[in-house]
Amino acid sequence: MPYSQPWMRQGQIALDNCVKHIAELKCMLQVRTDERDANLKLAQQTNELLQEVTRERTQLQTQMHEMQLEKESLQTEAHIARANAEKVTRELQEVTRVREQLTERLAATQTELKTAQIDAAGAKRALEAQSERFATMHATTMRAEAEKAAAEALTQRVEAERAAEVSAREATERAMEEERAANEAEAARAEEERKRRALCAVEVQDDTRELLEIEIAAARAAMMPSVGKGGKEAKPRPMRLDADGNVLTRFNDPEELLQYLEEGERGTKPLVTLLRASWLRAKMPETLPPDRSKLPAEAFISASELRKIYKQSKEKKRKLLPIITVLHPNSSPHAKGGPHPDAEGAIVQTVCEALDERWDQFTRKRGTGGDSGISELGVFFDWIAFGEGKSAAGAFGLFYAHELVTVWMIPEKKDALSKQFDYTGGWAAAEHRLATLLKSTSDLSGYSGPWPQLLDLSEDIDSEHNERIHRPSPSEPLAFRTRHEFGTAAYVEGEDEREVVTHMYRDALVEMFTCAQALTFNRLGWLDTDASRLALLLPLGSQVQELHLSFNSIGDQGLFLLAQRMTQMVQLKVLNLAGNQIGDPGASRLSGALTEATALQSSLFNLDLGQNNIGDKGALALAASVGGDTKMALRKLNLKGNPLSPAAKKGVTKALKKQAKGGAPAATGR
């Protein structure tokens, strides 16, 4: 057979190699073709980009040329105006010179006329010639008088223009003076309002006292049955606990917010819609419509997706809800039908810029420890979130006060020194107070969660200072009622709306304080007045185990008030007052509270008074109360950084050791 011949097999092998080489050449050709197509596409994109840049450059050059032409036109007009003014001046000078000449000539003519009259007996020809000369000179004089009148009219017109300019300048100065006066009046009014609010914040009115007595009795009844005001048994406040024994409320349980959103989608509650953060980043809308029905479906994020994202979060210490609430000066659920709260789009554009700048902080995609599990966020704009504001107003504050929600704030006013925010609208003021009440991540010591929960969008987006939000001391429960701290705040619908805000703030504040287990107010610059405002609410904290007020400016007077009300905190274990301005009087008053209050004796374990102004007198008073016959739970007392003598330090150590006998080892606070 011919196929069995060696030459035939060799030819087949050569043919197979040729086919193989042809296939490889085809592959190489295909690769080169793909590379050529990619390079052609890249070149086309580069040409298109170059053309776009060229068009923009041409437009800018055209604009610059037009501006240059306009500048040259204005310079030309100014030059012509100056030339006209100089010409008028020269003509006026010329007219004056001609007038003087004519005056001299008129005097000469009169002299000649007299001579002619004297020489009347002269020749008739000389008399006629003289008469003709006189007539010519008279005509010249008349013309000179006319030119003089025209010059005087021109002078009057110039003077009138100058007078009008002076009048306009004076009117401008008067307007500026009136504006300065109006600004001074507004500043004075704002200062009076600030003083009024500060006075209302310090004064405790009767209706506030009565409410606090009822709520404090209810908080105690939640722990054990007690007799309320008037001999009646106080109604206990129901409390829910999680698997770790922590108290759950509407404002710290993630399910409260997620279920509310889901029930709104099912129609059992008012629908609340949140915008998708990635849609805002992609579209960068100039503004948002006043009605959410005008937005596409892809602009919104569902409650089920938010729940899934929350469960996928990889944060171990503290998981925050993937929800951002925007607080702005025009915030209100009752604004439907009124002016658009963001007609110019400034709020939306600021939020979009912040989202774009801080996106990696949420997702941690680049260089921050790996994927956070957060792939999307829901953004709450009040005029988009609520379709019918009145039906959902009761839950409005939940989206600002919830401890796991992030709030981005745009202040109406901000004090340059204290950085305190101020809002004239009642809703915005209440939302600001609720948002800054218990979110401990907002103090100046930094945030402990995966991202800062409070952000100031009036600062530069890439600045760390907009993470340092000043938290005001808490206002009393009825602060938004008339004749109270925020009693003059503005509302769209008047007193009815004021009542809604009052109830919203009161209920939220009482529930949050009653169920809080830790209160953290470090590094906020608080003074004695701020401590007094907090002291008013401390008896509500029946569940509070830790109270942190370190590195503020609280002095003896503030500690007096805190110690007076702190005696009713039956579960307080940790009290941190380090880095304040407490002296011997304050330390002595605190030692008295420890001696008098059985609740503090049995609960307080750790007391930190380091870096204050406590001397030997205050330290020995504390040592006397701790080392007395009464058995106390106190095992840690920190007085480091105070001006103590060795004898005082020794006395404190001895008192702690005495108290620790038979119990846990003492931690001496020298």
Side-chain angles (χ1 to χ4, degrees):
M1 296 297 291
Y3 291 103
S4 63
Q5 298 301 320
W7 61 269
M8 188 64 182
R9 288 195 300 272
Q10 292 175 357
Q12 184 64 39
I13 292 171
L15 181 61
D16 292 341
N17 289 334
C18 288
V19 171
K20 182 178 178 182
H21 287 315
I22 290 171
E24 291 177 351
L25 288 173
K26 288 177 67 178
C27 291
M28 291 176 62
L29 179 61
Q30 184 63 37
V31 170
R32 295 296 185 269
T33 303
D34 293 342
E35 290 179 352
R36 184 201 64 187
D37 293 342
N39 290 332
L40 287 174
K41 185 176 180 180
L42 180 61
Q44 183 179 2
Q45 292 177 352
T46 304
N47 289 333
E48 292 176 355
L49 181 59
L50 181 60
Q51 291 174 1
E52 181 65 22
V53 170
T54 304
R55 284 196 298 271
E56 293 182 356
R57 178 184 177 187
T58 304
Q59 291 177 357
L60 290 175
Q61 288 177 345
T62 303
Q63 294 177 359
M64 292 178 61
H65 181 65
E66 292 175 353
M67 293 177 65
Q68 183 65 30
L69 291 177
E70 184 177 357
K71 177 182 177 181
E72 292 175 355
S73 176
L74 292 175
Q75 290 177 346
T76 303
E77 292 178 358
H79 180 71
I80 292 173
R82 287 195 298 270
N84 290 336
E86 293 174 356
K87 181 179 179 182
V88 169
T89 302
R90 288 195 301 270
E91 290 178 352
L92 181 61
Q93 292 174 352
E94 182 64 22
V95 167
T96 303
R97 187 182 61 80
V98 170
R99 179 185 175 186
E100 292 174 352
Q101 291 178 353
L102 291 176
T103 302
E104 293 175 357
R105 292 175 63 183
L106 180 60
T109 302
Q110 290 175 349
T111 303
E112 292 176 359
L113 180 60
K114 291 179 179 179
T115 303
Q117 290 175 349
I118 296 172
D119 298 333
K124 183 178 180 181
R125 190 185 321 173
L127 181 59
E128 291 176 354
Q130 187 69 25
S131 299
E132 290 176 1
R133 191 182 306 120
F134 177 77
T136 302
M137 293 181 65
H138 181 69
T140 304
T141 303
M142 294 298 293
R143 284 196 303 272
E145 291 292 336
E147 291 176 355
K148 176 184 175 183
E152 290 177 350
L154 179 60
T155 303
Q156 292 174 357
R157 187 165 64 251
V158 172
E159 291 177 352
E161 290 176 354
R162 290 178 179 174
E165 182 180 354
V166 172
S167 177
R169 186 166 56 251
E170 292 176 351
T172 303
E173 292 175 354
R174 284 197 302 271
M176 293 176 62
E177 185 66 27
E178 291 174 357
E179 183 179 359
R180 282 195 297 271
N183 291 336
E184 291 174 357
E186 177 64 20
R189 187 200 64 77
E191 180 65 18
E192 288 297 325
E193 176 66 12
R194 187 192 65 78
K195 291 180 180 179
R196 185 200 67 79
R197 282 172 48 183
L199 183 62
C200 290
V202 174
E203 292 181 352
V204 183
Q205 301 192 31
D206 293 339
D207 51 357
T208 299
R209 294 184 187 277
E210 293 175 2
L211 174 65
L212 287 175
E213 288 178 4
I214 296 172
E215 296 297 342
I216 291 170
R220 291 178 181 172
M223 301 180 60
M224 61 183 67
S226 61
V227 177
K229 187 177 180 180
K232 298 180 180 180
E233 184 176 348
K235 184 179 179 180
R237 182 181 301 281
M239 291 190 181
R240 297 180 292 118
L241 303 178
D242 61 8
D244 298 327
N246 299 317
V247 180
L248 293 177
T249 69
R250 290 183 301 153
F251 303 99
N252 63 10
D253 185 359
E255 285 300 316
E256 286 284 342
L257 207 54
L258 294 172
Q259 288 181 8
Y260 188 94
L261 293 173
E262 288 175 342
E263 292 171 1
E265 292 177 354
R266 292 195 296 265
T268 57
K269 284 186 178 180
L271 177 63
V272 178
T273 53
L274 305 183
L275 293 183
R276 187 180 295 273
S278 60
W279 180 84
L280 288 169
R281 291 184 67 213
K283 299 298 182 181
M284 287 286 181
E286 293 184 0
T287 185
L288 292 175
D291 188 353
R292 63 186 175 194
S293 63
K294 297 180 180 180
L295 290 173
E298 61 268 18
F300 302 103
I301 187 169
S302 66
S304 60
E305 186 176 351
L306 288 172
R307 180 186 291 279
K308 181 179 179 181
I309 295 170
Y310 176 72
K311 289 183 177 179
Q312 291 176 346
S313 174
K314 298 178 182 179
E315 189 65 32
K316 296 180 180 179
K317 293 183 179 179
R318 180 178 174 85
K319 290 176 64 173
L320 300 180
L321 284 166
I323 296 175
I324 297 174
T325 298
V326 180
L327 171 55
H328 58 91
N330 301 323
S331 179
S332 170
H334 294 176
K336 296 295 182 182
H340 194 303
D342 187 31
E344 301 297 328
I347 296 174
V348 174
Q349 293 172 24
T350 301
V351 171
C352 290
E353 291 175 5
L355 282 172
D356 202 48
E357 180 69 29
R358 291 183 171 267
W359 192 251
D360 288 340
Q361 195 174 40
F362 294 109
T363 60
R364 294 209 301 271
K365 296 289 186 183
R366 295 200 303 256
T368 51
D371 189 355
S372 67
I374 302 295
S375 57
E376 188 60 89
L377 297 164
V379 184
F380 177 99
F381 290 96
D382 58 289
W383 72 91
I384 294 294
F386 289 96
E388 295 293 335
K390 290 185 178 180
S391 61
F396 198 65
L398 181 62
F399 289 88
Y400 298 87
H402 200 287
E403 294 182 45
L404 302 182
V405 170
T406 300
V407 180
W408 286 1
M409 295 181 283
I410 301 175
E412 182 176 352
K413 299 177 183 178
K414 186 167 69 172
D415 187 87
L417 296 177
S418 67
K419 303 299 183 182
Q420 294 187 34
F421 291 2
D422 190 19
Y423 296 93
T424 56
W427 282 100
E431 293 155 8
H432 172 250
R433 291 283 160 162
L434 291 176
T436 57
L437 188 60
L438 293 184
K439 288 184 173 66
S440 60
T441 58
S442 63
D443 61 52
L444 298 183
S445 60
Y447 56 89
S448 58
W451 58 75
Q453 280 187 267
L454 296 177
L455 203 66
D456 176 11
L457 296 192
S458 67
E459 296 279 353
D460 293 337
I461 298 300
D462 58 350
S463 170
E464 66 175 6
H465 295 92
N466 57 356
E467 298 174 359
R468 297 184 172 185
I469 303 297
H470 174 83
R471 294 169 61 198
S473 51
S475 300
E476 48 95 359
L478 300 179
F480 289 86
R481 181 175 287 180
T482 305
R483 294 188 298 276
H484 287 248
E485 182 179 0
F486 295 96
T488 60
Y491 299 93
V492 175
E493 299 185 0
E495 293 303 315
D496 293 340
E497 199 169 1
R498 185 191 308 278
E499 192 65 20
V500 173
V501 173
T502 298
H503 284 285
M504 179 192 74
Y505 177 77
R506 180 197 65 191
D507 295 344
L509 173 71
V510 171
E511 183 173 351
M512 293 169 75
F513 252 82
T514 301
C515 301
Q517 293 179 291
L519 298 177
T520 304
F521 305 106
N522 297 328
R523 300 178 183 273
L524 294 173
W526 281 11
L527 305 173
D528 288 343
T529 53
D530 300 293
S532 68
R533 289 155 63 97
L534 175 63
L536 179 67
L537 303 176
L538 283 183
L540 287 173
S542 59
Q543 303 292 326
V544 173
Q545 299 179 17
E546 297 184 13
L547 176 58
H548 298 275
L549 291 164
S550 63
F551 297 98
N552 284 292
S553 298
I554 300 173
D556 295 327
Q557 185 61 37
L559 186 55
F560 288 167
L561 299 171
L562 289 172
Q564 180 182 1
R565 305 284 285 182
M566 201 184 301
T567 56
Q568 304 179 51
M569 302 175 70
V570 297
Q571 295 195 44
L572 185 63
K573 296 179 181 180
V574 177
L575 175 59
N576 186 356
L577 289 164
N580 281 282
Q581 299 177 5
I582 300 169
D584 288 339
S588 300
R589 178 64 187 90
L590 186 57
S591 67
L594 290 173
T595 304
E596 300 164 4
T598 57
L600 283 180
Q601 293 172 4
S602 59
S603 65
L604 188 61
F605 179 83
N606 186 348
L607 175 59
D608 192 345
L609 292 169
Q611 301 183 48
N612 277 283
N613 301 320
I614 301 173
D616 289 359
K617 183 178 179 181
L620 293 176
L622 288 169
S625 62
V626 173
D629 297 332
T630 304
K631 187 64 178 178
M632 292 187 180
L634 188 66
R635 292 295 180 270
K636 296 181 180 180
L637 174 59
N638 178 25
L639 290 173
K640 293 180 181 178
N642 286 284
L644 303 181
S645 66
K649 294 179 181 179
K650 185 176 180 180
V652 173
T653 303
K654 182 178 179 180
L656 284 171
K657 289 182 177 179
K658 178 182 178 181
Q659 192 60 236
K661 285 182 179 180
T668 57
R670 297 181 179 177

